[in-house]
């Protein structure tokens, strides 16, 4: 095929098409040019033809400027044509008016199309976010609503707080989902953007370098930890990263990936290992009714939380003296100036300059030293520490999931030697997992029973009333509502068996959906572990204060001081009105820190926090019943 040189018409057409492809602005520019040519041509024709408003009066002939004005007015408004006289003028202005109608129509259509295109682009969530000191959430999962809810509460006393979400979902869908969950977000603005958190260009849209904190959620898909690690890497190794360290909180599912995640985080990221957290809470809670309520109280932002505060007025005083120095805050430890967190340190530990107190309080501004001297404790009601010998226990686990192995390992650290654990489930591979697990047990002896946890005959055969504690785990490979339905059925059977035998069973149940907890309360289980909720609370807390990770590491492990709920009669004589200073003293004599109490008569009352009161006013006197309990931080 011979090469032919393009004609000048082809060149002009090519360049014209290139300008049109630039969008609405280019089209409007062409319309402006054509309109100018029409107006100028009209003015020139009026001058050359000597046309005037009145054909019989030569003095009314148009000049060039007046002719141009008349042409412009006729092009814009077709109604001006009715006032013309003389056929030459009428024909000229008719041509101008028709040309104007086409030009104006094209202009309106172009503007409308341009606006629609712009709105479509905005709905895609691709416009750049210009915010500073915002909380950035990367990814989307079932935990996002709980995190948003907690951050809204935490931001209540902040000025113009903002939450920005970047996820590989439609922007409008995310906004509609959030609106359906939250009728009001208070003073917090929530901005959604669509994009891949692993893509540097998409990440730049939400400005991670200006964020106050960044939460990286594990997606609900295969290998979620890889996604989290790569998201953190995209921030810490970003070519445009800031010089200051980032505040990143990530969610890791598999403990084996923590080391790689820590290397990628390079000291700028802390991680919540969800399965390990739930396993520890489940193991601790099954042996202490009400403990999950205490954990929830400390982890959510609605009520008392954990804060840090430097208190020069306490420098030189001991930890024991500091315990009673606050009326509306409960001390749980010290943060040394070098960054070491001491939870329930020895009572004679002296506060040094630069140290911070770690306190449970309603807000950071309520940690205020009392002006008056602390009230004297009533030592007359304090009783000696009773001698208790650990005895073997029988524990029943109903159901199985990926957190069960970690839960059993955690239980092995708490029970007395010779204790027995029986697992009833029908999940494939669970027997083999238990056989392998039993070889590493130090105190627990494990037995396996295959069967349906929702079958009454199977539960009767097991003799559930003979177990000290019962743990009910969700089959989380099932859809959420189906898994919770199995849990509810098993709970109802357990309660019916207990009522028939006249016994109270210690039951801890794992729920997948927080909304189903209200339904489950008809079965009167002692505690509920809502997996996603607890992990969400932890992520939200750490996003507000990364130093809390050191405190949580102690509280949620079998080493160091933990939270215990113990009989009030082990500390004071029941029936005598005492203030909280007396409970502080009774616990301090044993090297423990009292942080609250539980009223047994309110243990089923949701509106009263199931009887749990954390951080009570120290001057309030209360006569405790023998069934009531004290909440303390202790080594064992």
């Amino acid at each position: 095929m011979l090469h032919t040189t393009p004609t000048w018409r082809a060149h002009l057409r090519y360049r014209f098409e290139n300008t049109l492809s630039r969008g609405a602005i280019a089209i409007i520019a062409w319309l402006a040019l054509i309109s100018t040519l029409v107006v100028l041509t009209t003015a020139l024709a009026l001058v050359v033809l000597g046309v005037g408003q009145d054909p019989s009066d030569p003095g009314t002939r148009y000049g060039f400027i007046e002719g141009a004005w008349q042409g412009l007015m006729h092009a814009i408004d077709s109604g001006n044509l009715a006032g013309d006289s003389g056929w030459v003028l009428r024909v000229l202005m008719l041509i101008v008016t028709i040309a104007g109608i086409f030009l104006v129509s094209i202009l309106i259509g172009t503007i409308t199309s341009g606006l629609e295109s712009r709105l479509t682009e905005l709905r895609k969530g691709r416009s750049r976010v210009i915010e500073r000191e915002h909380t950035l959430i990367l990814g989307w999962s079932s935990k996002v609503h709980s995190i948003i809810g907690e951050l809204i509460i935490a931001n209540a006393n902040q000025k113009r707080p903002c939450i920005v979400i970047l996820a590989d979902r439609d922007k409008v869908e995310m906004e509609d989902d959030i609106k359906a969950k939250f009728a009001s977000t208070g003073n917090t603005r929530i901005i959604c953007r669509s994009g891949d958190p692993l893509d540097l260009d998409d990440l730049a849209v939400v400005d991670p370098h200006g964020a106050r904190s960044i939460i990286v959620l594990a997606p609900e898909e295969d290998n979620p930890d890889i996604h989290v690690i790569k998201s953190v890497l995209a921030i810490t190794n970003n070519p445009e990263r800031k010089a200051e360290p980032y505040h990143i909180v990530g969610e890791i599912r598999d403990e084996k990936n923590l080391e790689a995640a820590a290397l990628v985080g390079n000291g700028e990221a802390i991680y919540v290992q969800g399965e390990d957290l739930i396993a520890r809470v489940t193991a601790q809670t099954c042996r202490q009714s009400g403990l999950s309520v205490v954990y929830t109280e400390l982890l959510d932002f609605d009520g008392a939380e954990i804060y840090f505060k430097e208190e020069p007025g306490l420098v030189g005083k001991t930890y024991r003296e500091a315990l009673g120095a606050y009326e509306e805050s409960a001390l749980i430890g010290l943060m040394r100036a070098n960054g070491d967190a001491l939870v329930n340190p020895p009572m004679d530990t002296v506060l040094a300059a630069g140290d911070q107190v770690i306190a449970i309080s309603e807000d950071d501004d309520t940690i205020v030293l009392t002006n008056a001297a602390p009230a004297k404790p009533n030592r007359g009601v304090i009783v000696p520490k009773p001698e208790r010998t650990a005895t073997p226990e029988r524990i029943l686990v109903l159901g199985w999931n990926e957190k069960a192995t970690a839960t059993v390992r955690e239980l092995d650290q708490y029970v007395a030697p010779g204790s027995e654990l029986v697992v009833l489930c029908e999940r494939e591979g669970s027997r083999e997992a238990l056989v392998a697990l039993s070889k590493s047990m130090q105190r627990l002896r494990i037995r396996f029973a295959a069967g349906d946890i929702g079958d009454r005959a199977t539960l009767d055969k097991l003799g559930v009333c003979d177990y000290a504690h019962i743990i009910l785990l969700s089959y989380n490979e099932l859809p959420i509502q189906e898994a919770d339905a199995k849990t509810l059925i098993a709970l109802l059977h357990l309660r019916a068996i207990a009522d028939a035998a006249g016994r109270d069973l210690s039951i801890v149940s794992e729920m997948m959906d927080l909304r189903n907890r209200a339904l489950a309360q008809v079965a009167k289980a002692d505690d509920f572990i809502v997996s996603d909720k607890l992990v969400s609370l932890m992520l939200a807390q750490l996003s507000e204060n990364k130093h809390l990770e050191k405190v949580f590491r102690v509280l949620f492990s079998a080493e160091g001081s933990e939270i215990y709920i113990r009989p009030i009669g082990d500390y004071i004589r029941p029936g005598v009105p005492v203030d909280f200073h007396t409970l502080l003293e009774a616990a301090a004599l044993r090297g423990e820190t009292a942080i609250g109490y539980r009223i047994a008569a309110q243990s089923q009352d949701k509106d009263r926090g199931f009887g749990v009161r954390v951080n009570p006013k120290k001057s309030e006197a209360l006569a405790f019943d023998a069934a009531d309990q004290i909440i303390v931080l202790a080594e064992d």
Side-chain angles (χ1 to χ4, degrees), residues 520-600:
Q521 284 168 4
V522 300
K524 301 180 182 177
D526 291 287
D527 270 305
F528 296 93
I529 307 296
V530 185
S531 307
D532 281 0
K533 180 69 173 178
L534 281 177
V535 175
S536 301
L537 294 178
M538 182 78 83
L539 290 169
Q541 284 282 350
L542 293 175
S543 75
E544 291 295 300
N545 189 339
K546 62 183 177 182
H547 299 301
L548 284 171
E549 189 265 343
K550 297 178 180 178
V551 177
F552 293 153
R553 191 188 307 160
V554 176
L555 291 180
F556 292 103
S557 70
E559 300 174 357
S561 293
E562 303 164 51
I563 298 175
Y564 289 91
I565 303 179
R566 292 171 170 165
I568 198 79
D570 288 358
Y571 292 79
I572 62 168
R573 284 189 289 109
V576 181
V578 295
D579 59 20
F580 201 72
H581 286 286
T582 301
L583 295 183
L584 279 176
E585 179 67 12
L589 290 173
R590 306 177 188 186
E592 302 171 2
T593 301
I595 62 173
Y597 52 78
R598 189 184 194 194
I599 305 300

Side-chain angles (χ1 to χ4, degrees), residues 310-562:
E310 189 170 345
E311 201 69 82
L314 294 178
V315 172
K317 295 185 179 295
T318 64
Y319 176 66
R320 173 63 192 94
E321 292 173 318
L323 284 176
Y326 298 92
E327 169 66 14
E328 298 184 3
S329 300
L331 261 60
I332 63 171
L334 304 173
M335 175 72 82
R336 290 300 199 187
N338 62 2
D340 291 339
L342 307 178
V343 178
N344 184 40
M347 293 295 155
D348 58 357
T349 303
V350 178
L351 278 79
D355 290 351
Q356 293 179 299
V357 296
I358 307 174
I360 300 172
S361 193
E362 288 290 325
D363 211 334
D364 53 359
D365 56 5
T366 59
I367 308 175
V368 181
L369 290 171
T370 55
N371 296 322
K376 297 290 185 182
N378 183 0
R379 296 178 180 273
V381 300
I382 298 176
V383 299
K385 182 178 181 179
E387 294 293 332
R388 296 189 183 275
T389 304
T391 57
E393 306 170 50
R394 297 189 73 209
I395 302 172
L396 175 63
V397 176
L398 302 177
W400 195 262
N401 56 38
E402 68 279 354
K403 296 184 286 289
T405 300
T407 302
V408 174
R409 286 201 185 100
E410 196 72 20
L411 278 170
D412 189 55
Q413 302 183 57
Y414 289 99
V415 299
S419 297
E420 181 184 51
L421 181 135
V422 177
V423 177
L424 172 69
C425 71
E426 51 185 355
R427 181 168 173 169
E428 186 177 348
S430 54
R431 180 191 293 272
E432 291 75 11
L434 282 169
V435 170
L437 183 62
S438 63
K439 297 176 182 178
S440 62
M441 295 293 100
Q442 301 295 320
R443 300 178 177 90
L444 273 176
R445 185 174 66 255
I446 301 176
R447 290 197 299 115
F448 177 80
D452 182 4
I453 65 173
D455 181 60
R456 172 65 182 266
T458 302
L459 295 175
D460 284 331
K461 187 177 179 181
L462 271 177
V464 295
C465 292
D466 296 331
Y467 292 88
H469 311 290
I470 299 174
I471 301 174
L472 186 51
L473 298 177
S474 294
Y475 287 107
N476 54 12
E477 73 274 10
L478 300 175
I480 290 177
Q481 298 307 321
E482 185 178 344
D484 280 357
K486 275 185 169 290
T487 302
L488 288 170
I489 292 171
L491 276 174
L492 291 171
H493 284 319
L494 290 172
R495 186 53 54 194
I497 293 172
D499 290 343
R503 297 279 301 276
D504 285 328
L505 298 180
S506 171
I507 306 170
V508 174
S509 173
E510 179 188 15
M511 304 296 293
M512 303 291 288
D513 191 334
L514 182 64
R515 294 170 296 181
N516 291 326
R517 174 171 179 163
L519 296 175
Q521 284 168 4
V522 300
K524 301 180 182 177
D526 291 287
D527 270 305
F528 296 93
I529 307 296
V530 185
S531 307
D532 281 0
K533 180 69 173 178
L534 281 177
V535 175
S536 301
L537 294 178
M538 182 78 83
L539 290 169
Q541 284 282 350
L542 293 175
S543 75
E544 291 295 300
N545 189 339
K546 62 183 177 182
H547 299 301
L548 284 171
E549 189 265 343
K550 297 178 180 178
V551 177
F552 293 153
R553 191 188 307 160
V554 176
L555 291 180
F556 292 103
S557 70
E559 300 174 357
S561 293
E562 303 164 51

Side-chain angles (χ1 to χ4, degrees), residues 65-213:
I65 295 177
E66 181 63 24
W69 177 257
Q70 289 297 323
L72 177 62
M73 291 300 99
H74 281 75
I76 294 174
D77 185 4
S78 59
N80 285 325
L81 189 64
D84 295 332
S85 59
W87 283 106
V88 176
L89 179 61
R90 289 172 180 170
V91 171
L92 281 174
M93 291 307 174
L94 177 61
I95 295 171
V96 172
T97 299
I98 292 172
I101 290 173
F102 279 103
L103 292 173
V104 171
S105 298
I106 295 172
L107 177 63
I108 293 173
T110 301
I111 293 174
T112 302
S113 177
L115 287 174
E116 288 179 352
S117 176
R118 183 58 181 161
L119 289 173
T120 301
E121 282 297 314
L122 290 175
R123 287 172 65 89
K124 289 180 180 178
R126 303 296 302 161
S127 59
R128 186 180 179 86
V129 173
I130 303 178
E131 297 286 345
R132 302 296 297 177
E133 296 299 308
H134 55 286
T135 299
L136 174 60
I137 300 176
L138 299 179
W140 187 277
S141 73
S142 57
K143 301 178 184 66
V144 74
H145 300 111
S146 297
I147 293 173
I148 291 173
E150 292 303 313
L151 293 177
I152 289 173
I153 298 172
N155 291 335
N157 60 352
Q158 302 297 316
K159 184 179 180 181
R160 291 184 57 78
C162 178
I163 300 171
V164 178
I165 303 171
L166 175 67
D168 198 8
R169 292 189 66 193
D170 181 73
K171 171 182 180 290
V172 178
E173 286 182 6
M174 289 190 284
E175 290 174 342
D176 290 344
D177 202 348
I178 293 170
K179 288 177 182 177
K181 295 288 184 180
F182 303 99
S184 171
T185 59
N187 64 330
T188 301
R189 293 171 295 120
I190 301 177
I191 301 171
C192 297
R193 291 292 181 266
S194 296
D196 185 356
L198 306 182
D199 188 297
L200 295 182
D201 292 332
D202 290 351
L203 201 57
V205 170
V206 292
D207 189 15
H209 319 298
R212 178 168 60 93
S213 62

